[in-house]
Amino acid sequence: MVRFHFAFALRKKLLGLSGGLDVAAARSRCCLSAVSRRGTRPLRPAPAPANSRPSVTKMSTASKTTLDPSEMKKFQSLADKWWDETGDFAALHSMNDLRVPFIRDNLLNLNGGRKSGGPLSGFKILDVGCGGGLLSEPLGRLGASVTGIDPLEDSIHTAELHKSFDPVLNSRVHYRPCALEDIVEEAEEEFDAVLASEVVEHVSDPEAFVQCCCDVLKPGGSLFITTLNKTNLSYALGIVMAEKVMKIVPSGTHDWEKFISPVDLERLLESRQI
């Protein structure tokens, strides 16, 4: 049975707004969510019938893609800017103060606490849509073995170049220029955790995307998804304010129609019997 736990956080650094708007951002419930195959008490327990196992239909990679060409075009022009902490991806750099401890603590809590070596030593993690490696690198420094994938070769080149400045990461972090569906068959049930941070709102088929994420998880593995909630306030702050007024996120980065709420994400998983 899949178990869910959601965390909503005040992202003061994300938008760099004044106190009043920070409160509004929290109320909009821009969400950091984790979906786990084992872990804390589920938000809404749903017992499965005795002696039954859900049937999961794996995605045919030959006939399905989760890539959105228009989204690829947006990020192609930004591929060399990932590590400018005051530039177009400043918000993602700031979010690491929230998402790295969240991922670390949940993995440790679900798997019996710290191991010898780094806190995440022994964990094999897939970072989907890794871009320039903003999340892959800090997790690698915590001891995890991280595979970062992104369909844009230029973003992967940026990630490889930045990784080269830290010899510690050479044996821990590896990048591949590919889509998630390209590795499903070869990496079936391979990873302890799969991360999709600020990605699901950019794919063409969220249901197929989440299915692929689960296909590459080991039994008992954890899926972490961070994304903007779909509320009127998230539109006002995440698009109007951030993109058009303050211009701290490139204009056109987000399409509010593609935002997804935690409830809808949970329903999506349940509909697929994941």
Side-chain angles (χ1 to χ4, degrees):
M1 180 178 69
V2 179
R3 296 186 175 187
F4 309 95
H5 51 107
F6 298 102
F8 302 101
L10 182 66
R11 295 189 189 173
K12 185 168 290 189
K13 288 188 177 181
L14 174 57
L15 296 179
L17 303 174
S18 64
L21 286 180
D22 286 330
V23 174
R27 288 176 180 167
S28 75
R29 294 170 67 188
C30 298
C31 70
L32 174 63
S33 58
V35 183
S36 174
R37 288 189 177 179
R38 69 178 184 183
T40 60
R41 185 177 57 189
L43 204 62
R44 292 190 290 109
N51 301 320
S52 68
R53 297 183 64 183
S55 60
V56 176
T57 302
K58 295 191 181 297
M59 193 182 94
S60 171
T61 57
S63 61
K64 202 79 168 175
T65 180
T66 63
L67 299 181
D68 184 330
S70 64
E71 298 285 352
M72 297 269 289
K73 186 176 180 180
K74 288 181 197 174
F75 286 97
Q76 178 64 53
S77 64
L78 302 170
D80 63 344
K81 300 179 180 180
W82 286 100
W83 287 98
D84 181 355
E85 295 186 18
T86 61
D88 293 320
F89 294 110
L92 292 182
H93 283 275
S94 294
M95 282 177 59
N96 273 1
D97 292 342
L98 172 66
R99 56 185 181 172
V100 172
F102 183 82
I103 292 165
R104 177 201 63 204
D105 293 347
N106 275 281
L107 287 178
L108 292 176
N109 289 339
L110 297 178
N111 292 275
R114 294 177 179 270
K115 301 181 178 181
S116 59
L120 295 183
S121 293
F123 286 98
K124 193 170 185 180
I125 296 174
L126 177 67
D127 183 8
V128 182
C130 67
L134 272 62
L135 188 54
S136 297
E137 283 199 11
L139 293 173
R141 292 190 182 97
L142 290 174
S145 173
V146 183
T147 298
I149 62 172
D150 196 282
L152 291 177
E153 289 191 17
D154 287 347
S155 289
I156 292 296
H157 174 73
T158 298
E160 291 279 12
L161 179 62
H162 195 271
K163 183 188 75 168
S164 69
F165 295 116
D166 187 348
V168 170
L169 298 176
N170 286 335
S171 62
R172 298 180 185 176
V173 179
H174 305 279
Y175 296 112
R176 292 182 58 179
C178 64
L180 174 60
E181 54 268 25
D182 295 334
I183 67 167
V184 168
E185 292 185 6
E186 66 180 84
E188 184 176 351
E189 297 187 352
E190 180 175 335
F191 296 96
D192 300 294
V194 173
L195 319 177
S197 187
E198 312 307 306
V199 173
V200 72
E201 68 270 29
H202 298 292
V203 302
S204 62
D205 187 339
E207 184 174 355
F209 178 80
V210 170
Q211 178 67 66
C212 284
C213 287
C214 290
D215 286 345
V216 298
L217 274 175
K218 292 179 181 178
S222 297
L223 168 61
F224 294 86
I225 295 176
T226 75
T227 186
L228 287 164
N229 199 353
K230 190 171 186 178
T231 64
N232 291 334
L233 200 51
S234 71
Y235 176 82
L237 294 178
I239 296 179
V240 176
M241 183 64 73
E243 294 186 16
K244 303 183 185 302
V245 178
M246 301 184 71
K247 301 185 184 301
I248 57 175
V249 177
S251 180
T253 297
H254 295 109
D255 178 354
W256 188 82
E257 293 298 329
K258 296 176 76 172
F259 288 5
I260 185 169
S261 71
V263 171
D264 287 339
L265 181 59
E266 184 178 359
R267 288 173 180 162
L268 184 155
L269 286 155
E270 289 177 342
S271 72
R272 298 289 292 175
Q273 296 183 307
I274 296 171

